Amino acid sequence: MLTVSVKWQKKVFEGIEIDVTLPPYVFKAQLYDLTGVPPERQKIMVKGGLLKDDADWSAIGVKDGQKLMMMGTADEIVKAPEKAIVFAEDLPEEEQATNLGYSAGLVNLGNTCYMNSTVQCLKSVPELKSALSNYSLAGRSNDVDQTSHMLTVATRELFGDLDRSVNAVSPTQFWMTLRKKFPQFSQLQNGMHMQQDAEECWTQLLYTLSQSLKAPASSEDSDAVKALFGVNLRSRVHCQESGEESSETESVYSLKCHISHEVNHLHEGLKHGLKGELEKTSPALGRTAVYLKESLIDSLPRYLTVQFVRFFWKRETNQKAKILRKVDYPLELDIFDLCSEDLRKKLEAPRQKLRDEEGKKLGLQPKSSSKDSDVKMTDAAEAPSNEGGESSTAAQQEGASSSSEKGTHMTGIYDLVTVLTHKGRSADSGHYVAWVKQESGKWIQYDDSHPSIQREEDITKLSGGGDWHMAYIIMYKARFVSM
Amino acid sequence: MAPGPDPNSVGDGAKRDEATTKVPSKDPKKKDDKKEEDLSEEDLQLKQNLELYVERVQDPNPELQKAALESMRQEIRASTSSMTSVPKPLKFLRPHYGTLKEFHKNMAESDLKKLLADILSVLALTMSAEGERESLGYRLTGSEGDIGSWGHEYVRNLAGEIAEEYTVRQGEESSIEDLMDLVQQIVAFHMKHNAETEAVDLLMDVEDLDLLLEHVDRTNFRRTCNYLTSAAKYLPGPDDMLVLDIAYMIYIKFEEYPNALQIALFLDNMQYVKQVFTSCTDLLRKKQFCYMISRHGITFELDPEMVENDVDREMLQDIVNNTKLSEGYLTLARDIEVMEAKTPEDIYKAHLLDGRASSGPSADSARQNLAATFVNAFVNAGFGQDKLMTVPSDSTSGSAGNWLFKNKEHGKTSAAASLGMILLWDVDAGLTHLDKYFHTNDNPIIAGALLGVGIVNCGIKNDCDPALALLGEYIDKEDSSVRIGAIMGLGIAYAGSQNDQIKSSLSPILNDAKAPLDVIAFAALSLGMIYVGSCNEEVAQSIIFALMDRSEAELGEALTRFLPLGLGLLYLGKQESVEATAEVSKTFNEKIRKYCDMTLLSCAYAGTGNVLKVQDLLAQCGEHLEKGDNHQGPAVLGLAMVAMSEELGLDMAIRSLERVLQYGEQNVRRAVPLALGLLCISNPKVTVMDTLSRLSHDTDSEVAMSAIISLGLIGAGTNNARIAGMLRNLSSYYYKDASLLFCVRIAQGLVHMGKGLLTLSPFHSERLLLSPTALAGIVTLLHACLDMKSIILGKYHFVLYFLVLAMQPRMMLTVDENLKPISVPVRVGQAVDVVGQAGRPKTITGFQTHSTPVLLAAGERAELATDKYIPLSPILEGFIILKENPDYREE
């Protein structure tokens, strides 16, 4: 009979007797009573290793009064979770892409940054993407020619590739069809394809898409692109000499921001752009006379595109020269005072609503004293769910058909979503880069194949005035309010 | 060395000085007169007297001669006390030196001749030409009177001449007995007059330090030993050992046992360590010795001769075995209030980065989770609690409870092993936590549990040998990952123990033709760790055979580097002992030959500061080689290993590495950041930090990776805010590069290691002692980092756990006589080098007063701010036992 003490975890069990004639299994059973650790999970350290169930005590050489150490727990054995964990590294490529929170860049095929940045900007419009995905050969109207069709399909494919891929996508197919459709982009210089004007690419691409995406019925409403980007202008043409006055309407895809000496801010540039002089034959005078044309916005698009007119043809140097003047633009644009009277009236109510909501968000009481408190209560309850950003995303889901139906209304207030910048001294040289705001609110700079995250405050610094990237085409997204 | 000032120049200077200063006091009319007339009346008188004596000395009448010599001596002695200028009598006698010399030559042997020789000896102090050693010559023929009576300057001059004479005579092999008599006198004089450094210098010159023992006394032995130990760093072998031997003997003589023990440990002389125990009779002091030994991390068995009482011995052995380390560490943590567990997110501090703060809930990335596992392990090391692994597993929550399964395949090994790190040093709790992982049938998890057992037991010895009992079972299992886990666990748990049982079970693996390469590599490494610095022949043979058996293809594998490294570790710091093995290594396949050569050389001379080896290694780094040669990496690391021991050499090495960086080939550049990391481990020097920060953006991703890991190493356990900021920025810079981001995460974990309570520095006890196991751990990691892609970024990331060997609390914890922690005020400040300084200089500067336990940063030193207690060791680091001061009176 031996007496030993056994240390288990932090406890010491003194004076445990071992009957050396019985196998160690019996000793383990004794310990089971004391510790609750089943014998098969007990590990008892003795000299030279662990105590085996069938070992011979005499061979082990345990001495009287020796301290033994036991390891073992009655805990549950660790089991792998039933649902295996999926690791990002194992995911297929497209799912890895969504993990990043932004899509891939585009490979520069040799002076194609103008095209890459244009594609990245347009791709950020989800409605355009969905319109493209609905496009099919069957649905195309007969007045769309083969090349336009091919370009539309190529655009759709490219957008899809960008969403699926983690690594930079090579837009070879798209580029080929673009050049086929618009041979001017195939210009060569020293055996290389020349740098092109991004604005031209933007306009042409959008025009092609608008043609091909027109619904077969070819009704005005079903022009998806127009609904998204089209701005209706009502102009008053006035001839001072004759006093003639006429009005006309037109639809454009972008507003121009003219840059002159007085223009320091986007707003001033836009105003400038909506006024113009033109010479035409005056029926009253029988000769050409100077007419003054003043335009106002008659209907608002979901996406308002503004082009800074930074390039002009310089005759002396025979090239498109660039105006480096700094023109500030806001992250939030209000174009109320560029609207026509009718439109203003329509906008007033939604704008009031928006102001109220914002006021509440800041904790201010709405000014309206006439409303009774019940109304206020409901207002307050609704407010948080209808905050600016959310309501506009809600609006996107409803499709691009109409902006002012089913409770969501335009407010004339726009948020900046993409900036296409140019760096360099002339339109046909330098470098184009796209800066796109993601749904998460993050800004991504797409410098060809390298997307990188940017800070919002740096986006407004692209306003020119130096040799840094400066905004060339910017796009705003309408803010809606639900009534 | 304290060379005497050039006598002539001093004389001239003094003369000029005298002339100018005395001018204003002179009568204006004498201004333009001859120089002689510038003298004051007193001086004139003296001059005339001396001239008279010189004449009289040459007088045939011996009586007159004697009287003249006596008077001359009187005059000289009376004025030699001042050292600022040449004494006047000497100055006035200068013109007569030649005459007296001539006269002395022709004198008959007599007392008078000796007397004159004495005077000439003194005069030679200023007159003798360089290298003539006339002063010494006359001294030897002189009357051998009290040497000090001629003044300090004379003795110093004489000492210098003796050293020269000694070298000459050594060359001629002539007798030096007469010199030694003089040395005796000079040493005695110096030791009495606070000039210990000069005495030591002289004795070192004449190679007879033993003399010192006779002359040290209670007042000067400390300064003497201080000088000896710091001089040892700059002496070539074997002189350095000799010097330390003397220092040891002096300490023992004056019962200054802690210092004696320190030197014994430095010399790695167990006989001396034992002698310290047998010489000391005080049990409490022996406890302090045990704490010192435990910090050094060597295996040491007390025997009845050292401590008679069995109960006492067991208690002391417990201290040596480090069983109380966990407790002390937790006391420190509670006192500093850092017990709260930290999550990896607390370390990453992503909210401080703009832009990418909210990446959103994306899927689990195995790579990032693995990084988080390591960060969690390093940060919560030794605290016994964390928020990923030790939280009770809750089947419903699924998130925290099953962190283990958020790691993929081999990642699970590191995750399970991280439990060992979290419960570091707490064997009982650690084994309890790890137990449940032994019962799964998931091999990587079992491997991790085995490794975890090894980590928990790192530096702790237990009578029951739980690690050996548990791990021994798994060494020969089928699955190689399980085998590696067990083998590496043994290596960590028994590093430095020279355990025969493990050797007999691991050695066969090395020469097993069927064993996979990775198992063999880890077996070699573990054997190297267990027998670190032992020069064990048998183990060396096994590893050498294993290396010879490798096929050409295997030699190209990344893991093969662990074989030469294992071999090198056997000779860590053992200098020449490596030579036989180095010879053998020349016969290896050329693919590994040079690599092996460099590794052996650098390990053998690690921590010696040997300048010649540094030059050898630098020459290797400077070569521009064909592609495929990989030995320059270990050469660069070796440079750091050899130079790291001593401050001056360290600074020089940092500067040379800067050059290497500029002119070296790419594979050299990749190793440079790692070498910098080793040189400044846990010591974030700003210059090195800047260099590494620059390199962390290098276009070569491997340079960047090593720089990032090194940033972690130099900041390890410091919580250094600047490095933390750099790493945070790097984490956003390398956001998209998973490998580099992984490195950044690891580095972040290292910087916050132990929440800032740990250090990786292998040096301790005021940077004198180098813990061999700690160095082995770091060097292994660095060698693994030489091929980051295939080892740490591959499936052998758990080699990061080798760092545990170097992890030690950077604390000073005071305990009372019952070993219970007590709090006393201490001053903590930058350490000042006071070797050879006069008086009682302050040993720290810029100090702050705290109460213990306190943290000590690199280069800091503590001193007690109260007289109430007496520390039992003069080196205030780690555990310090305080004894109440019987003379203390409350004010």
Side-chain angles (χ1 to χ4, degrees), chain A residues 7-139:
Chain A
K7 194 173 177 209
W8 178 65
Q9 299 190 355
K10 301 253 163 180
K11 283 172 252 171
V12 178
F13 300 98
E14 302 277 0
I16 300 172
E17 293 187 341
I18 302 177
D19 189 343
V20 289
T21 55
L22 297 170
Y25 189 77
V26 179
F27 175 59
K28 287 193 173 180
Q30 273 171 281
L31 290 176
Y32 178 48
D33 289 341
L34 287 167
T35 61
V37 180
E40 66 274 14
R41 289 179 60 183
Q42 292 179 8
K43 292 191 188 68
I44 299 163
M45 329 286 171
V46 289
K47 202 155 182 63
L50 297 176
L51 182 66
K52 301 257 177 0
D53 285 354
D54 51 354
D56 187 1
W57 281 111
S58 56
I60 296 162
V62 174
K63 286 190 271 313
D64 202 31
Q66 192 174 337
K67 224 189 228 169
L68 297 177
M69 191 171 171
M70 185 182 109
M71 179 178 160
T73 48
D75 287 3
E76 204 185 324
I77 295 172
V78 272
K79 266 191 247 106
E82 278 156 29
K83 211 178 98 208
I85 307 234
V86 183
F87 294 106
E89 281 87 344
D90 299 338
L91 291 175
E93 234 184 274
E94 61 257 44
E95 283 179 58
Q96 284 189 32
T98 53
N99 272 331
L100 280 175
Y102 52 86
S103 57
L106 285 164
V107 177
N108 193 330
L109 300 171
N111 283 335
T112 58
C113 57
Y114 69 94
M115 177 184 85
N116 290 350
S117 47
T118 307
V119 169
Q120 291 288 8
C121 283
L122 290 177
K123 192 194 143 270
S124 73
V125 179
E127 291 89 341
L128 187 62
K129 261 196 280 183
S130 58
L132 276 169
S133 63
N134 293 334
Y135 175 76
S136 63
L137 183 59

Side-chain angles (χ1 to χ4, degrees), chain B residues 228-538:
Chain B
L228 284 173
T229 39
S230 56
K233 284 181 194 160
Y234 303 101
L235 289 175
D239 285 5
D240 51 345
M241 296 298 142
L242 219 75
V243 169
L244 289 171
D245 257 359
I246 298 292
Y248 170 79
M249 282 187 253
I250 296 173
Y251 278 133
I252 287 282
K253 186 176 167 189
F254 292 98
E255 301 183 352
E256 202 54 48
Y257 299 121
N259 292 94
L261 178 64
Q262 213 188 357
I263 292 173
L265 289 174
F266 184 88
L267 293 171
D268 198 14
N269 186 332
M270 287 306 131
Q271 218 46 48
Y272 277 4
V273 176
K274 195 171 168 182
Q275 196 188 343
V276 171
F277 274 95
T278 48
S279 318
C280 179
T281 50
D282 183 3
L283 182 66
L284 206 54
R285 298 184 81 177
K286 285 188 188 175
K287 284 184 191 165
Q288 182 67 58
F289 304 158
C290 290
Y291 277 128
M292 293 171 70
I293 293 174
S294 71
R295 170 63 179 94
H296 194 49
I298 55 166
T299 307
F300 186 71
E301 287 287 336
L302 295 165
D303 59 30
E305 222 180 303
M306 300 184 217
V307 191
E308 280 170 29
N309 187 314
D310 282 348
V311 180
D312 288 346
R313 190 168 63 246
E314 201 172 312
M315 189 172 68
L316 291 182
Q317 188 68 53
D318 269 357
I319 300 177
V320 174
N321 289 351
N322 256 329
T323 43
K324 296 278 183 273
L325 182 57
S326 175
E327 236 169 82
Y329 179 60
L330 289 177
T331 308
L332 171 76
R334 270 190 286 272
D335 192 84
I336 295 178
E337 295 176 348
V338 290
M339 281 308 285
E340 177 72 18
K342 286 200 169 185
T343 60
E345 283 70 34
D346 294 338
I347 302 302
Y348 299 164
K349 294 211 174 90
H351 61 274
L352 294 180
L353 292 169
D354 37 43
R356 51 204 53 168
S358 55
S359 57
S362 55
D364 278 292
S365 154
R367 191 33 92 57
Q368 288 318 310
N369 283 1
L370 181 61
T373 299
F374 279 111
V375 170
N376 182 55
F378 284 131
V379 170
N380 296 306
F383 288 93
Q385 50 183 351
D386 74 329
K387 285 180 177 162
L388 299 183
M389 291 301 295
T390 57
V391 280
S393 65
D394 180 4
S395 50
T396 52
S397 76
S399 59
N402 293 322
W403 177 257
L404 180 67
F405 294 101
K406 292 207 167 193
N407 289 282
K408 209 175 137 188
E409 293 154 29
H410 46 80
K412 285 187 273 193
T413 307
S414 284
S418 75
L419 261 180
M421 192 65 119
I422 293 158
L423 293 149
L424 187 61
W425 305 319
D426 188 350
V427 178
D428 296 322
L431 295 185
T432 309
H433 272 280
L434 285 164
D435 180 65
K436 53 178 179 249
Y437 298 106
F438 279 100
H439 302 285
T440 69
N441 34 24
D442 198 348
N443 278 331
I445 297 183
I446 297 176
L450 291 165
L451 179 54
V453 169
I455 295 172
V456 162
N457 281 288
C458 177
I460 314 283
K461 268 134 245 142
N462 192 306
D463 291 336
C464 300
D465 267 337
L468 182 55
L470 284 169
L471 304 186
E473 305 262 299
Y474 292 87
I475 290 178
D476 296 318
K477 282 271 181 302
E478 192 72 10
D479 186 83
S480 61
S481 68
V482 172
R483 293 179 80 178
I484 291 173
I487 292 169
M488 188 173 154
L490 282 174
I492 291 178
Y494 291 92
S497 69
Q498 307 189 16
N499 187 314
D500 282 332
Q501 204 185 332
I502 303 177
K503 182 178 70 184
S504 51
S505 50
L506 288 187
S507 292
I509 297 177
L510 286 178
N511 305 319
D512 177 1
K514 284 193 212 93
L517 176 70
D518 49 359
V519 174
I520 292 176
F522 278 97
L525 198 53
S526 283
L527 277 171
M529 301 254 166
I530 294 163
Y531 283 85
V532 64
S534 68
C535 307
N536 187 302
E537 286 289 322
E538 253 180 88

Side-chain angles (χ1 to χ4, degrees), chain B residues 698-718:
Chain B
D698 201 277
T699 42
D700 183 295
S701 71
E702 286 182 55
V703 175
M705 281 191 235
S706 8
I708 292 167
I709 292 284
S710 286
L711 271 176
L713 290 177
I714 66 167
T718 61

